[in-house]
Amino acid sequence: MTVAAKHQALDVTTAQAPLGAYDPQKIRANFPILFQQVNGKPLVYLDNAATTQKPRAVIDAITRYYEADNANIHRGVHYLSQHATQRYENSRETVRRFLNAAEPSEIVFVRGATEGINLIAQTLGRTRVRAGDEVLITAMEHHSNIVPWQILCEEKGAMLRVAPINDAGELILDEFARLLGPRTKIVAVPHVSNALGTINPLRQMVELAHRHNAVVVVDGAQAVPHLAVDVRALDCDFYVFSGHKLYGPTGIGVLYGKSALLNAMPPYQGGGDMILSVTFEKTTYNKIPHKFEAGTPDVSGVIGLAAAINYVNELGLDRIEAHERDLLRQATESLSTIPGIRLIGTAKEKASVLSFVMDGIHPHDIGTILDQEGIAIRTGHHCAQPVMERFGIPATARASFAFYNTREEVNALIKGIDRVREVFA
Amino acid sequence: MPDLRELYQDVILEHSKAPRNYRELGAANRRAEGFNPLCGDRYTVYVDLDGDAIRDIAFQGSGCAISKASASLMTQSVKGKTQAEVEELFGEFHKIVTGEAPASNGKVPAVGKLSVFAGVSAYPVRVKCATLAWHTLRAALAGEHESVSTE
Ligand SMILES: Cc1ncc(COP(=O)(O)O)c(C=O)c1O
């Protein structure tokens, strides 16, 4: 059977029958990129926290959009424009359901988690935060949930406070609670840490922050690929994520915000689509979410993202979680037996992210040697330099698993690490 | 496929494990810090410059095997050299790690041991590791107080 035929035969997104037992081999067949050799070895892609690979369903949805549906949206009377607009807005509804938001108008399409956080800092932040106020983040942030708040605090004369983590990489909840106060205007926290894998007790954190009337912004970039998110159950005020970490295309992401807050916020960028009427004297802004979507959006990206969400839904996040937990357990147990390895991030609640360091061997060298074995991992500070500082290390090696990874690939990683030790013996 | 042993030559591994001139240099009259934001490598290079010549040189910091071994071998090969000679040597070294010159063909005889870095040319992302210490040394000699970055 050709690879293409195999894809067709095993395409789970079009399968009518229930999936039955979880079979990563079947799922892998939906990801064309996985079938290649790197440095003469089969690719073992374990850099999923950086970006995930795309299933054929996503690739095809984007291709089909350009082949059949492409038109500018929200502005045409002709068929194609109306059709494209409908597909764009249907995708918004797909995202609403995925996050269990109350209204589709609470879903704003942005470029990614980074832009989502910057949007909030520059709109809500600039109107809500004044001199002497505080913004609270944690010691496990990605730089994208630090720098936008630093910029805001500098501009406003406000203070950035940082809730500490323990040696396992878990938030110290008591300290977090202690740092909240009447001056805390915004609390910005990750749902899941990209460098450590820690899953935060979000529900509790939101409740604590709300007691002080702080607005809670959640960086969900590393959470949505691994666990079911219900923004209403969490009661967070904002939630952002990136499509490319959720098996969707790059350049597209989501900002969820409670409608009362979105309505009250000033616009982010000015331009077409975000207005109702414009004269040189006065502009009336459009309703949410359009108020925050100035200019022609990434329509194909939005459609690709919806296809990715449909794909993930079809697999089922509960099944994804169970499989990934299994891989994480296997990898953690195997790595723990190798002398000279220290795991960074050993929280009780963890997503499938495994950061580690090796005695006397720099992560960069680990990455190069594994690459020779066809194994892709991330090495470096993972855009989380304060986390590295907290653990007193310059960098880590990080393997991160997705639902298409297999136990055999975990074994390949362990064998690869043996090779690293050989070279440096 | 490039052979890993070409990159991780014994000399390189040995220098990375036991770097030479790895200390703070009290008598230094020039120093600079260099870092590679991509991988977090960070070194300080200390130079005791006597007129135009390097009387003594040392370094400290942390990074991968390639960057550390390169810093170590660099300190050995530039001691006693003038600034112009350092520039020339760096030019040769750069050609070797980027694969522009065959290692054996170095016009400058002093390149000697530095040719062990020829294997780096098969790993383009590692060129920055091999040249980090050199960029830092050049910044120190130029009297730049700002730190240098490979990005
Ligand atoms: C926790 C976390 N937040 C934010 C981001 C930024 O995502 P993007 O670069 O897609 O905007 C990342 C990506 O690495 C991340 O891991």
Side-chain angles (χ1 to χ4, degrees), chain A residues 15 33 139 155 165 196-197 215 220 234 266 270-271 273 281 294 296 306-307 314 322 328 352 364 369 389 391 402 407:
Chain A
I33 201 170
E155 182 188 313
I165 55 178
L196 302 166
V215 165
L234 290 170
D273 248 11
E281 289 71 38
T296 302
E314 199 140 345
L328 180 68
S352 52
H364 211 169
I369 297 169
E389 212 161 293
F391 287 91
R407 294 182 72 87

mmCIF file with all atom_site columns, all heavy atoms in Angstrom, chain A residues 15 33 139 155 165 196-197 215 220 234 266 270-271 273 281 294 296 306-307 314 322 328 352 364 369 389 391 402 407:
data_model
loop_
_atom_site.group_PDB
_atom_site.id
_atom_site.type_symbol
_atom_site.label_atom_id
_atom_site.label_alt_id
_atom_site.label_comp_id
_atom_site.label_asym_id
_atom_site.label_entity_id
_atom_site.label_seq_id
_atom_site.pdbx_PDB_ins_code
_atom_site.Cartn_x
_atom_site.Cartn_y
_atom_site.Cartn_z
_atom_site.occupancy
_atom_site.B_iso_or_equiv
_atom_site.pdbx_formal_charge
_atom_site.auth_seq_id
_atom_site.auth_comp_id
_atom_site.auth_asym_id
_atom_site.auth_atom_id
_atom_site.pdbx_PDB_model_num
ATOM 1   N N   . ALA A 1 15  ? -13.428 8.142  9.649  1.00 0.00 ? 15  ALA A N   1
ATOM 2   C CA  . ALA A 1 15  ? -13.899 6.816  10.032 1.00 0.00 ? 15  ALA A CA  1
ATOM 3   C C   . ALA A 1 15  ? -15.293 6.916  10.645 1.00 0.00 ? 15  ALA A C   1
ATOM 4   O O   . ALA A 1 15  ? -15.567 7.787  11.444 1.00 0.00 ? 15  ALA A O   1
ATOM 5   C CB  . ALA A 1 15  ? -12.931 6.185  11.035 1.00 0.00 ? 15  ALA A CB  1
ATOM 6   N N   . ILE A 1 33  ? 4.247   13.794 7.885  1.00 0.00 ? 33  ILE A N   1
ATOM 7   C CA  . ILE A 1 33  ? 5.622   14.217 8.178  1.00 0.00 ? 33  ILE A CA  1
ATOM 8   C C   . ILE A 1 33  ? 6.381   13.183 9.001  1.00 0.00 ? 33  ILE A C   1
ATOM 9   O O   . ILE A 1 33  ? 7.615   13.148 8.986  1.00 0.00 ? 33  ILE A O   1
ATOM 10  C CB  . ILE A 1 33  ? 5.611   15.587 8.902  1.00 0.00 ? 33  ILE A CB  1
ATOM 11  C CG1 . ILE A 1 33  ? 6.965   16.282 8.745  1.00 0.00 ? 33  ILE A CG1 1
ATOM 12  C CG2 . ILE A 1 33  ? 5.265   15.427 10.373 1.00 0.00 ? 33  ILE A CG2 1
ATOM 13  C CD1 . ILE A 1 33  ? 6.962   17.735 9.216  1.00 0.00 ? 33  ILE A CD1 1
ATOM 14  N N   . ALA A 1 139 ? 6.738   31.897 38.958 1.00 0.00 ? 139 ALA A N   1
ATOM 15  C CA  . ALA A 1 139 ? 8.147   31.671 38.633 1.00 0.00 ? 139 ALA A CA  1
ATOM 16  C C   . ALA A 1 139 ? 8.315   30.643 37.515 1.00 0.00 ? 139 ALA A C   1
ATOM 17  O O   . ALA A 1 139 ? 9.438   30.274 37.185 1.00 0.00 ? 139 ALA A O   1
ATOM 18  C CB  . ALA A 1 139 ? 8.898   31.213 39.878 1.00 0.00 ? 139 ALA A CB  1
ATOM 19  N N   . GLU A 1 155 ? 5.498   51.063 32.072 1.00 0.00 ? 155 GLU A N   1
ATOM 20  C CA  . GLU A 1 155 ? 4.761   52.221 31.578 1.00 0.00 ? 155 GLU A CA  1
ATOM 21  C C   . GLU A 1 155 ? 3.912   52.855 32.675 1.00 0.00 ? 155 GLU A C   1
ATOM 22  O O   . GLU A 1 155 ? 3.785   54.079 32.753 1.00 0.00 ? 155 GLU A O   1
ATOM 23  C CB  . GLU A 1 155 ? 3.870   51.777 30.411 1.00 0.00 ? 155 GLU A CB  1
ATOM 24  C CG  . GLU A 1 155 ? 3.087   52.925 29.788 1.00 0.00 ? 155 GLU A CG  1
ATOM 25  C CD  . GLU A 1 155 ? 2.075   52.412 28.760 1.00 0.00 ? 155 GLU A CD  1
ATOM 26  O OE1 . GLU A 1 155 ? 2.463   51.580 27.924 1.00 0.00 ? 155 GLU A OE1 1
ATOM 27  O OE2 . GLU A 1 155 ? 0.910   52.848 28.809 1.00 0.00 ? 155 GLU A OE2 1
ATOM 28  N N   . ILE A 1 165 ? 7.995   28.850 43.183 1.00 0.00 ? 165 ILE A N   1
ATOM 29  C CA  . ILE A 1 165 ? 7.718   27.415 43.000 1.00 0.00 ? 165 ILE A CA  1
ATOM 30  C C   . ILE A 1 165 ? 8.662   26.620 43.894 1.00 0.00 ? 165 ILE A C   1
ATOM 31  O O   . ILE A 1 165 ? 9.709   27.124 44.316 1.00 0.00 ? 165 ILE A O   1
ATOM 32  C CB  . ILE A 1 165 ? 7.904   26.988 41.526 1.00 0.00 ? 165 ILE A CB  1
ATOM 33  C CG1 . ILE A 1 165 ? 9.306   27.348 41.001 1.00 0.00 ? 165 ILE A CG1 1
ATOM 34  C CG2 . ILE A 1 165 ? 6.840   27.640 40.660 1.00 0.00 ? 165 ILE A CG2 1
ATOM 35  C CD1 . ILE A 1 165 ? 9.567   26.897 39.567 1.00 0.00 ? 165 ILE A CD1 1
ATOM 36  N N   . LEU A 1 196 ? 8.636   22.718 32.580 1.00 0.00 ? 196 LEU A N   1
ATOM 37  C CA  . LEU A 1 196 ? 8.587   21.745 33.673 1.00 0.00 ? 196 LEU A CA  1
ATOM 38  C C   . LEU A 1 196 ? 7.468   20.726 33.528 1.00 0.00 ? 196 LEU A C   1
ATOM 39  O O   . LEU A 1 196 ? 7.508   19.670 34.146 1.00 0.00 ? 196 LEU A O   1
ATOM 40  C CB  . LEU A 1 196 ? 8.395   22.485 35.006 1.00 0.00 ? 196 LEU A CB  1
ATOM 41  C CG  . LEU A 1 196 ? 9.466   23.519 35.356 1.00 0.00 ? 196 LEU A CG  1
ATOM 42  C CD1 . LEU A 1 196 ? 8.989   24.415 36.495 1.00 0.00 ? 196 LEU A CD1 1
ATOM 43  C CD2 . LEU A 1 196 ? 10.760  22.823 35.722 1.00 0.00 ? 196 LEU A CD2 1
ATOM 44  N N   . GLY A 1 197 ? 6.454   21.079 32.764 1.00 0.00 ? 197 GLY A N   1
ATOM 45  C CA  . GLY A 1 197 ? 5.311   20.187 32.600 1.00 0.00 ? 197 GLY A CA  1
ATOM 46  C C   . GLY A 1 197 ? 4.259   20.311 33.695 1.00 0.00 ? 197 GLY A C   1
ATOM 47  O O   . GLY A 1 197 ? 3.194   19.704 33.600 1.00 0.00 ? 197 GLY A O   1
ATOM 48  N N   . VAL A 1 215 ? -8.269  40.319 37.885 1.00 0.00 ? 215 VAL A N   1
ATOM 49  C CA  . VAL A 1 215 ? -8.632  39.654 36.633 1.00 0.00 ? 215 VAL A CA  1
ATOM 50  C C   . VAL A 1 215 ? -7.603  38.554 36.371 1.00 0.00 ? 215 VAL A C   1
ATOM 51  O O   . VAL A 1 215 ? -6.403  38.782 36.501 1.00 0.00 ? 215 VAL A O   1
ATOM 52  C CB  . VAL A 1 215 ? -8.643  40.679 35.472 1.00 0.00 ? 215 VAL A CB  1
ATOM 53  C CG1 . VAL A 1 215 ? -8.663  39.967 34.127 1.00 0.00 ? 215 VAL A CG1 1
ATOM 54  C CG2 . VAL A 1 215 ? -9.837  41.612 35.608 1.00 0.00 ? 215 VAL A CG2 1
ATOM 55  N N   . GLY A 1 220 ? -2.722  29.223 28.245 1.00 0.00 ? 220 GLY A N   1
ATOM 56  C CA  . GLY A 1 220 ? -3.071  27.812 28.064 1.00 0.00 ? 220 GLY A CA  1
ATOM 57  C C   . GLY A 1 220 ? -2.324  27.134 26.936 1.00 0.00 ? 220 GLY A C   1
ATOM 58  O O   . GLY A 1 220 ? -2.697  26.040 26.509 1.00 0.00 ? 220 GLY A O   1
ATOM 59  N N   . LEU A 1 234 ? -13.599 26.742 35.125 1.00 0.00 ? 234 LEU A N   1
ATOM 60  C CA  . LEU A 1 234 ? -12.404 27.359 35.734 1.00 0.00 ? 234 LEU A CA  1
ATOM 61  C C   . LEU A 1 234 ? -12.725 28.766 36.236 1.00 0.00 ? 234 LEU A C   1
ATOM 62  O O   . LEU A 1 234 ? -12.099 29.257 37.160 1.00 0.00 ? 234 LEU A O   1
ATOM 63  C CB  . LEU A 1 234 ? -11.271 27.449 34.705 1.00 0.00 ? 234 LEU A CB  1
ATOM 64  C CG  . LEU A 1 234 ? -10.609 26.142 34.274 1.00 0.00 ? 234 LEU A CG  1
ATOM 65  C CD1 . LEU A 1 234 ? -9.690  26.378 33.081 1.00 0.00 ? 234 LEU A CD1 1
ATOM 66  C CD2 . LEU A 1 234 ? -9.824  25.544 35.441 1.00 0.00 ? 234 LEU A CD2 1
ATOM 67  N N   . PRO A 1 266 ? -10.830 48.783 25.521 1.00 0.00 ? 266 PRO A N   1
ATOM 68  C CA  . PRO A 1 266 ? -10.605 49.542 24.295 1.00 0.00 ? 266 PRO A CA  1
ATOM 69  C C   . PRO A 1 266 ? -10.054 48.618 23.210 1.00 0.00 ? 266 PRO A C   1
ATOM 70  O O   . PRO A 1 266 ? -9.544  47.545 23.525 1.00 0.00 ? 266 PRO A O   1
ATOM 71  C CB  . PRO A 1 266 ? -9.545  50.574 24.698 1.00 0.00 ? 266 PRO A CB  1
ATOM 72  C CG  . PRO A 1 266 ? -8.845  49.976 25.860 1.00 0.00 ? 266 PRO A CG  1
ATOM 73  C CD  . PRO A 1 266 ? -9.843  49.100 26.567 1.00 0.00 ? 266 PRO A CD  1
ATOM 74  N N   . GLY A 1 270 ? -6.384  49.340 15.134 1.00 0.00 ? 270 GLY A N   1
ATOM 75  C CA  . GLY A 1 270 ? -7.450  49.953 14.341 1.00 0.00 ? 270 GLY A CA  1
ATOM 76  C C   . GLY A 1 270 ? -7.356  49.517 12.894 1.00 0.00 ? 270 GLY A C   1
ATOM 77  O O   . GLY A 1 270 ? -6.279  49.182 12.418 1.00 0.00 ? 270 GLY A O   1
ATOM 78  N N   . GLY A 1 271 ? -8.482  49.517 12.197 1.00 0.00 ? 271 GLY A N   1
ATOM 79  C CA  . GLY A 1 271 ? -8.450  49.146 10.788 1.00 0.00 ? 271 GLY A CA  1
ATOM 80  C C   . GLY A 1 271 ? -9.808  48.710 10.300 1.00 0.00 ? 271 GLY A C   1
ATOM 81  O O   . GLY A 1 271 ? -10.826 49.026 10.925 1.00 0.00 ? 271 GLY A O   1
ATOM 82  N N   . ASP A 1 273 ? -12.883 46.096 9.466  1.00 0.00 ? 273 ASP A N   1
ATOM 83  C CA  . ASP A 1 273 ? -13.560 45.023 10.181 1.00 0.00 ? 273 ASP A CA  1
ATOM 84  C C   . ASP A 1 273 ? -13.832 45.327 11.659 1.00 0.00 ? 273 ASP A C   1
ATOM 85  O O   . ASP A 1 273 ? -14.755 44.787 12.233 1.00 0.00 ? 273 ASP A O   1
ATOM 86  C CB  . ASP A 1 273 ? -12.769 43.705 10.119 1.00 0.00 ? 273 ASP A CB  1
ATOM 87  C CG  . ASP A 1 273 ? -13.513 42.665 9.283  1.00 0.00 ? 273 ASP A CG  1
ATOM 88  O OD1 . ASP A 1 273 ? -14.484 43.054 8.616  1.00 0.00 ? 273 ASP A OD1 1
ATOM 89  O OD2 . ASP A 1 273 ? -13.121 41.494 9.310  1.00 0.00 ? 273 ASP A OD2 1
ATOM 90  N N   . GLU A 1 281 ? -14.054 62.602 12.089 1.00 0.00 ? 281 GLU A N   1
ATOM 91  C CA  . GLU A 1 281 ? -14.268 63.097 13.441 1.00 0.00 ? 281 GLU A CA  1
ATOM 92  C C   . GLU A 1 281 ? -14.378 61.954 14.447 1.00 0.00 ? 281 GLU A C   1
ATOM 93  O O   . GLU A 1 281 ? -13.898 62.049 15.565 1.00 0.00 ? 281 GLU A O   1
ATOM 94  C CB  . GLU A 1 281 ? -15.547 63.962 13.529 1.00 0.00 ? 281 GLU A CB  1
ATOM 95  C CG  . GLU A 1 281 ? -15.448 65.306 12.842 1.00 0.00 ? 281 GLU A CG  1
ATOM 96  C CD  . GLU A 1 281 ? -15.431 65.174 11.325 1.00 0.00 ? 281 GLU A CD  1
ATOM 97  O OE1 . GLU A 1 281 ? -16.159 64.313 10.779 1.00 0.00 ? 281 GLU A OE1 1
ATOM 98  O OE2 . GLU A 1 281 ? -14.647 65.916 10.679 1.00 0.00 ? 281 GLU A OE2 1
ATOM 99  N N   . ALA A 1 294 ? -8.961  43.486 13.763 1.00 0.00 ? 294 ALA A N   1
ATOM 100 C CA  . ALA A 1 294 ? -8.765  44.499 12.720 1.00 0.00 ? 294 ALA A CA  1
ATOM 101 C C   . ALA A 1 294 ? -8.081  43.880 11.507 1.00 0.00 ? 294 ALA A C   1
ATOM 102 O O   . ALA A 1 294 ? -7.138  43.096 11.646 1.00 0.00 ? 294 ALA A O   1
ATOM 103 C CB  . ALA A 1 294 ? -7.918  45.638 13.270 1.00 0.00 ? 294 ALA A CB  1
ATOM 104 N N   . THR A 1 296 ? -7.925  42.004 7.507  1.00 0.00 ? 296 THR A N   1
ATOM 105 C CA  . THR A 1 296 ? -8.289  40.673 7.012  1.00 0.00 ? 296 THR A CA  1
ATOM 106 C C   . THR A 1 296 ? -7.585  39.625 7.867  1.00 0.00 ? 296 THR A C   1
ATOM 107 O O   . THR A 1 296 ? -6.362  39.645 7.976  1.00 0.00 ? 296 THR A O   1
ATOM 108 C CB  . THR A 1 296 ? -7.860  40.511 5.542  1.00 0.00 ? 296 THR A CB  1
ATOM 109 O OG1 . THR A 1 296 ? -8.502  41.540 4.773  1.00 0.00 ? 296 THR A OG1 1
ATOM 110 C CG2 . THR A 1 296 ? -8.243  39.147 5.006  1.00 0.00 ? 296 THR A CG2 1
ATOM 111 N N   . ALA A 1 306 ? -9.816  24.890 13.255 1.00 0.00 ? 306 ALA A N   1
ATOM 112 C CA  . ALA A 1 306 ? -11.071 24.172 13.530 1.00 0.00 ? 306 ALA A CA  1
ATOM 113 C C   . ALA A 1 306 ? -10.933 22.703 13.144 1.00 0.00 ? 306 ALA A C   1
ATOM 114 O O   . ALA A 1 306 ? -11.412 21.811 13.856 1.00 0.00 ? 306 ALA A O   1
ATOM 115 C CB  . ALA A 1 306 ? -12.226 24.824 12.782 1.00 0.00 ? 306 ALA A CB  1
ATOM 116 N N   . ALA A 1 307 ? -10.239 22.434 12.032 1.00 0.00 ? 307 ALA A N   1
ATOM 117 C CA  . ALA A 1 307 ? -10.029 21.040 11.617 1.00 0.00 ? 307 ALA A CA  1
ATOM 118 C C   . ALA A 1 307 ? -9.198  20.299 12.659 1.00 0.00 ? 307 ALA A C   1
ATOM 119 O O   . ALA A 1 307 ? -9.448  19.124 12.960 1.00 0.00 ? 307 ALA A O   1
ATOM 120 C CB  . ALA A 1 307 ? -9.343  20.996 10.253 1.00 0.00 ? 307 ALA A CB  1
ATOM 121 N N   . GLU A 1 314 ? -12.231 14.095 18.043 1.00 0.00 ? 314 GLU A N   1
ATOM 122 C CA  . GLU A 1 314 ? -12.559 12.760 17.588 1.00 0.00 ? 314 GLU A CA  1
ATOM 123 C C   . GLU A 1 314 ? -11.711 11.703 18.298 1.00 0.00 ? 314 GLU A C   1
ATOM 124 O O   . GLU A 1 314 ? -12.194 10.635 18.649 1.00 0.00 ? 314 GLU A O   1
ATOM 125 C CB  . GLU A 1 314 ? -12.369 12.657 16.080 1.00 0.00 ? 314 GLU A CB  1
ATOM 126 C CG  . GLU A 1 314 ? -13.113 11.489 15.493 1.00 0.00 ? 314 GLU A CG  1
ATOM 127 C CD  . GLU A 1 314 ? -13.757 11.856 14.165 1.00 0.00 ? 314 GLU A CD  1
ATOM 128 O OE1 . GLU A 1 314 ? -13.869 13.060 13.858 1.00 0.00 ? 314 GLU A OE1 1
ATOM 129 O OE2 . GLU A 1 314 ? -14.134 10.931 13.445 1.00 0.00 ? 314 GLU A OE2 1
ATOM 130 N N   . ALA A 1 322 ? -4.661  9.744  28.602 1.00 0.00 ? 322 ALA A N   1
ATOM 131 C CA  . ALA A 1 322 ? -4.280  8.440  29.141 1.00 0.00 ? 322 ALA A CA  1
ATOM 132 C C   . ALA A 1 322 ? -3.031  7.909  28.432 1.00 0.00 ? 322 ALA A C   1
ATOM 133 O O   . ALA A 1 322 ? -2.089  7.433  29.075 1.00 0.00 ? 322 ALA A O   1
ATOM 134 C CB  . ALA A 1 322 ? -5.439  7.460  28.992 1.00 0.00 ? 322 ALA A CB  1
ATOM 135 N N   . LEU A 1 328 ? 4.680   9.214  29.475 1.00 0.00 ? 328 LEU A N   1
ATOM 136 C CA  . LEU A 1 328 ? 5.428   10.007 30.456 1.00 0.00 ? 328 LEU A CA  1
ATOM 137 C C   . LEU A 1 328 ? 5.928   9.107  31.583 1.00 0.00 ? 328 LEU A C   1
ATOM 138 O O   . LEU A 1 328 ? 7.076   9.219  32.018 1.00 0.00 ? 328 LEU A O   1
ATOM 139 C CB  . LEU A 1 328 ? 4.556   11.133 31.018 1.00 0.00 ? 328 LEU A CB  1
ATOM 140 C CG  . LEU A 1 328 ? 5.247   12.024 32.052 1.00 0.00 ? 328 LEU A CG  1
ATOM 141 C CD1 . LEU A 1 328 ? 6.360   12.850 31.410 1.00 0.00 ? 328 LEU A CD1 1
ATOM 142 C CD2 . LEU A 1 328 ? 4.247   12.951 32.748 1.00 0.00 ? 328 LEU A CD2 1
ATOM 143 N N   . SER A 1 352 ? 2.797   15.773 29.586 1.00 0.00 ? 352 SER A N   1
ATOM 144 C CA  . SER A 1 352 ? 3.841   14.898 29.044 1.00 0.00 ? 352 SER A CA  1
ATOM 145 C C   . SER A 1 352 ? 5.067   15.671 28.548 1.00 0.00 ? 352 SER A C   1
ATOM 146 O O   . SER A 1 352 ? 5.415   15.642 27.374 1.00 0.00 ? 352 SER A O   1
ATOM 147 C CB  . SER A 1 352 ? 3.262   14.033 27.925 1.00 0.00 ? 352 SER A CB  1
ATOM 148 O OG  . SER A 1 352 ? 2.591   14.835 26.978 1.00 0.00 ? 352 SER A OG  1
ATOM 149 N N   . HIS A 1 364 ? 22.963  20.982 25.015 1.00 0.00 ? 364 HIS A N   1
ATOM 150 C CA  . HIS A 1 364 ? 23.188  21.216 23.589 1.00 0.00 ? 364 HIS A CA  1
ATOM 151 C C   . HIS A 1 364 ? 23.885  20.019 22.938 1.00 0.00 ? 364 HIS A C   1
ATOM 152 O O   . HIS A 1 364 ? 23.582  19.628 21.815 1.00 0.00 ? 364 HIS A O   1
ATOM 153 C CB  . HIS A 1 364 ? 24.031  22.482 23.425 1.00 0.00 ? 364 HIS A CB  1
ATOM 154 C CG  . HIS A 1 364 ? 23.721  23.208 22.157 1.00 0.00 ? 364 HIS A CG  1
ATOM 155 N ND1 . HIS A 1 364 ? 24.190  24.468 21.896 1.00 0.00 ? 364 HIS A ND1 1
ATOM 156 C CD2 . HIS A 1 364 ? 22.999  22.855 21.082 1.00 0.00 ? 364 HIS A CD2 1
ATOM 157 C CE1 . HIS A 1 364 ? 23.771  24.851 20.717 1.00 0.00 ? 364 HIS A CE1 1
ATOM 158 N NE2 . HIS A 1 364 ? 23.037  23.898 20.203 1.00 0.00 ? 364 HIS A NE2 1
ATOM 159 N N   . ILE A 1 369 ? 23.668  14.931 19.624 1.00 0.00 ? 369 ILE A N   1
ATOM 160 C CA  . ILE A 1 369 ? 23.907  13.480 19.511 1.00 0.00 ? 369 ILE A CA  1
ATOM 161 C C   . ILE A 1 369 ? 22.590  12.748 19.250 1.00 0.00 ? 369 ILE A C   1
ATOM 162 O O   . ILE A 1 369 ? 22.518  11.846 18.411 1.00 0.00 ? 369 ILE A O   1
ATOM 163 C CB  . ILE A 1 369 ? 24.630  12.948 20.772 1.00 0.00 ? 369 ILE A CB  1
ATOM 164 C CG1 . ILE A 1 369 ? 26.016  13.612 20.868 1.00 0.00 ? 369 ILE A CG1 1
ATOM 165 C CG2 . ILE A 1 369 ? 24.753  11.430 20.728 1.00 0.00 ? 369 ILE A CG2 1
ATOM 166 C CD1 . ILE A 1 369 ? 26.740  13.386 22.184 1.00 0.00 ? 369 ILE A CD1 1
ATOM 167 N N   . GLU A 1 389 ? 17.096  29.611 36.113 1.00 0.00 ? 389 GLU A N   1
ATOM 168 C CA  . GLU A 1 389 ? 17.773  30.239 37.248 1.00 0.00 ? 389 GLU A CA  1
ATOM 169 C C   . GLU A 1 389 ? 17.311  29.621 38.565 1.00 0.00 ? 389 GLU A C   1
ATOM 170 O O   . GLU A 1 389 ? 18.118  29.358 39.455 1.00 0.00 ? 389 GLU A O   1
ATOM 171 C CB  . GLU A 1 389 ? 17.462  31.735 37.240 1.00 0.00 ? 389 GLU A CB  1
ATOM 172 C CG  . GLU A 1 389 ? 18.575  32.587 37.785 1.00 0.00 ? 389 GLU A CG  1
ATOM 173 C CD  . GLU A 1 389 ? 18.401  34.031 37.307 1.00 0.00 ? 389 GLU A CD  1
ATOM 174 O OE1 . GLU A 1 389 ? 18.539  34.276 36.087 1.00 0.00 ? 389 GLU A OE1 1
ATOM 175 O OE2 . GLU A 1 389 ? 18.090  34.865 38.158 1.00 0.00 ? 389 GLU A OE2 1
ATOM 176 N N   . PHE A 1 391 ? 16.421  26.689 39.144 1.00 0.00 ? 391 PHE A N   1
ATOM 177 C CA  . PHE A 1 391 ? 17.018  25.377 39.364 1.00 0.00 ? 391 PHE A CA  1
ATOM 178 C C   . PHE A 1 391 ? 18.546  25.404 39.256 1.00 0.00 ? 391 PHE A C   1
ATOM 179 O O   . PHE A 1 391 ? 19.198  24.360 39.313 1.00 0.00 ? 391 PHE A O   1
ATOM 180 C CB  . PHE A 1 391 ? 16.414  24.355 38.385 1.00 0.00 ? 391 PHE A CB  1
ATOM 181 C CG  . PHE A 1 391 ? 15.002  23.979 38.753 1.00 0.00 ? 391 PHE A CG  1
ATOM 182 C CD1 . PHE A 1 391 ? 13.928  24.683 38.235 1.00 0.00 ? 391 PHE A CD1 1
ATOM 183 C CD2 . PHE A 1 391 ? 14.757  22.966 39.660 1.00 0.00 ? 391 PHE A CD2 1
ATOM 184 C CE1 . PHE A 1 391 ? 12.631  24.360 38.594 1.00 0.00 ? 391 PHE A CE1 1
ATOM 185 C CE2 . PHE A 1 391 ? 13.465  22.641 40.024 1.00 0.00 ? 391 PHE A CE2 1
ATOM 186 C CZ  . PHE A 1 391 ? 12.395  23.341 39.497 1.00 0.00 ? 391 PHE A CZ  1
ATOM 187 N N   . ALA A 1 402 ? 3.484   13.570 22.320 1.00 0.00 ? 402 ALA A N   1
ATOM 188 C CA  . ALA A 1 402 ? 2.151   13.803 21.774 1.00 0.00 ? 402 ALA A CA  1
ATOM 189 C C   . ALA A 1 402 ? 1.449   12.457 21.638 1.00 0.00 ? 402 ALA A C   1
ATOM 190 O O   . ALA A 1 402 ? 2.055   11.402 21.836 1.00 0.00 ? 402 ALA A O   1
ATOM 191 C CB  . ALA A 1 402 ? 2.240   14.469 20.409 1.00 0.00 ? 402 ALA A CB  1
ATOM 192 N N   . ARG A 1 407 ? 5.571   3.828  22.552 1.00 0.00 ? 407 ARG A N   1
ATOM 193 C CA  . ARG A 1 407 ? 6.501   3.281  23.559 1.00 0.00 ? 407 ARG A CA  1
ATOM 194 C C   . ARG A 1 407 ? 7.852   2.986  22.907 1.00 0.00 ? 407 ARG A C   1
ATOM 195 O O   . ARG A 1 407 ? 8.895   3.140  23.536 1.00 0.00 ? 407 ARG A O   1
ATOM 196 C CB  . ARG A 1 407 ? 5.917   2.016  24.177 1.00 0.00 ? 407 ARG A CB  1
ATOM 197 C CG  . ARG A 1 407 ? 4.650   2.283  24.995 1.00 0.00 ? 407 ARG A CG  1
ATOM 198 C CD  . ARG A 1 407 ? 4.120   0.998  25.645 1.00 0.00 ? 407 ARG A CD  1
ATOM 199 N NE  . ARG A 1 407 ? 4.967   0.542  26.745 1.00 0.00 ? 407 ARG A NE  1
ATOM 200 C CZ  . ARG A 1 407 ? 4.841   0.966  28.000 1.00 0.00 ? 407 ARG A CZ  1
ATOM 201 N NH1 . ARG A 1 407 ? 3.906   1.836  28.312 1.00 0.00 ? 407 ARG A NH1 1
ATOM 202 N NH2 . ARG A 1 407 ? 5.645   0.524  28.939 1.00 0.00 ? 407 ARG A NH2 1
#
